[in-house]
Amino acid sequence: MSDSLNTPEAPQPAPGEQHPHGPGVSVRHSRAKGEPRFPDGPRADPAGSHFERRIRSFQPRRSRVTAGQADALQRLWPKWGLDIDGQRVIDLGELFANDNPVVLEIGFGMGEATARMAAADPGTNVLAVDVHTPGQGNLLNLADQGGLSNVRVGNGDAIILLREMLAPDALDGLRVYFPDPWPKKRHHKRRLIQPEFLSLAATRLKPGAVLHCATDWEPYAEQMLEVLTAHPDFENTQADGGFAPRPEFRPLTRFEGQGLDKGHVVNDLLFRRVQHRKPNAARLSQPDPHHLSPTEPPAGG
């Protein structure tokens, strides 16, 4: 991740006034090298070099942070933000200041759907993780405006969060909505929903907890269905073994609406964490989750 995102324009001096930073010096570029973009906000690379480099399922995006998002990051990150550094196991009861069920959401975009679901179900805590700084600020802003005390925003790699920072059976649900489909065949190894990821996620989900995926990329949907159906720790909630109708609790997002307008087909998958492994467990070899994927530098695009 990078802290080199564009910053809001600073007020310009009136004609004839001396610029407070001297002539020809832009406030936008006045930060010293290495100085954090948001001193009290999310860190640029919370896990640093503490963990092996591996194939990543995400690619950080650089885009402009609005003044409102920047303000939310500065004000609310110390209260509702979590840097995923992999250095400790977090107490979810302490993080949310209650013992309500906790659902992990991986990749929330700009956070509109996350905020709507949190508002509709205040008795469920939502730990929403992403690496997109504008989205982090936007979700914090939405949570603040809506008085959503059941939302926490995680910054960093969700794999490190699952593997290093969550206790076994800590989660009551997992949501993965519209993950990057990595459509090129040579990039399929970067897709998040793989047997190794499911094995790790299963250790952190309580028996009976539901993994809910949604995608508008049909080949990825078919792969998700195949991998989840074959995995010994999950069972389909649909009696016919297929895709699920979109549940009422998952809002139709702006991104999803744009896809539907283009003729995309959106598929939902709802699989339950089973109490005991299914009899066909031998069909899949279960790698050590500490070696979730081969050591390899992240792709450049």
Side-chain angles (χ1 to χ4, degrees):
M1 289 182 290
S2 168
D3 65 355
S4 59
L5 297 166
N6 292 332
T7 59
E9 293 284 358
Q12 298 299 310
E17 266 188 354
Q18 179 69 28
H19 196 294
H21 290 265
V25 178
S26 168
V27 174
R28 170 178 289 188
H29 300 292
S30 61
R31 285 185 293 123
K33 184 177 180 180
E35 183 182 347
R37 169 67 182 86
F38 304 102
D40 296 319
R43 287 156 53 191
D45 186 9
S49 59
H50 298 295
F51 300 96
E52 77 279 6
R53 301 180 74 187
R54 58 178 176 76
I55 297 174
R56 297 289 178 90
S57 63
F58 62 88
Q59 186 171 339
R61 295 166 289 155
R62 297 181 182 182
S63 55
R64 185 179 181 85
V65 177
T66 69
Q69 292 161 2
D71 175 68
L73 288 166
Q74 281 291 106
R75 288 189 302 107
L76 301 171
W77 191 260
K79 179 182 178 184
W80 287 340
L82 171 70
D83 276 313
I84 299 171
D85 57 13
Q87 299 302 300
R88 67 197 189 285
V89 175
I90 58 176
D91 182 329
L92 293 175
E94 181 179 322
L95 181 68
F96 287 94
N98 61 54
D99 293 323
N100 292 342
V102 179
V103 171
L104 173 64
E105 182 174 352
I106 299 178
F108 55 80
M110 295 305 291
E112 292 99 337
T114 306
R116 288 169 64 183
M117 288 187 288
D121 186 9
T124 296
N125 296 324
V126 181
L127 175 53
V129 175
D130 209 308
V131 295
H132 187 47
T133 312
Q136 294 168 352
N138 199 59
L139 178 53
L140 286 170
N141 210 12
L142 292 170
D144 187 37
Q145 292 173 356
L148 306 178
S149 60
N150 59 330
V151 173
R152 299 292 183 271
V153 179
N155 168 50
D157 190 338
I159 299 298
I160 293 176
L161 174 69
L162 284 164
R163 196 180 65 194
E164 310 290 345
M165 299 181 69
L166 292 178
D169 298 345
L171 298 173
D172 297 87
L174 176 58
R175 299 168 181 164
V176 184
Y177 298 156
F178 304 99
D180 194 327
W182 294 101
K184 294 180 181 179
K185 187 173 182 180
R186 68 176 183 271
H187 291 156
H188 285 183
K189 61 188 176 183
R190 299 185 179 281
R191 289 176 172 175
L192 179 63
I193 305 303
Q194 307 274 7
E196 296 85 355
F197 170 77
L198 296 177
S199 296
L200 173 61
T203 66
R204 302 303 184 249
L205 287 167
K206 295 175 182 175
V210 170
L211 166 59
H212 183 190
C213 302
T215 180
D216 67 336
W217 193 260
E218 289 186 85
Y220 194 10
E222 294 290 346
Q223 179 191 322
M224 287 182 180
L225 182 60
E226 179 182 353
V227 171
L228 277 160
T229 300
H231 200 283
D233 290 324
F234 291 92
E235 63 182 5
N236 201 332
T237 62
Q238 303 303 298
D240 64 0
F243 297 110
R246 178 176 67 86
E248 291 186 4
F249 66 79
R250 184 177 73 75
L252 185 69
T253 66
R254 180 173 52 184
F255 170 84
E256 184 177 356
Q258 292 171 349
L260 292 172
D261 289 342
K262 296 175 183 176
H264 295 186
V265 175
V266 176
N267 286 295
D268 284 74
L269 303 95
L270 286 92
F271 276 71
R272 185 179 294 108
R273 166 76 164 91
V274 298
Q275 178 73 47
H276 302 289
R277 292 170 71 85
K278 292 186 291 191
N280 64 344
R283 290 171 53 190
L284 288 174
S285 60
Q286 301 302 326
D288 183 346
H290 282 272
H291 299 283
L292 187 64
S293 52
T295 299
E296 180 179 308

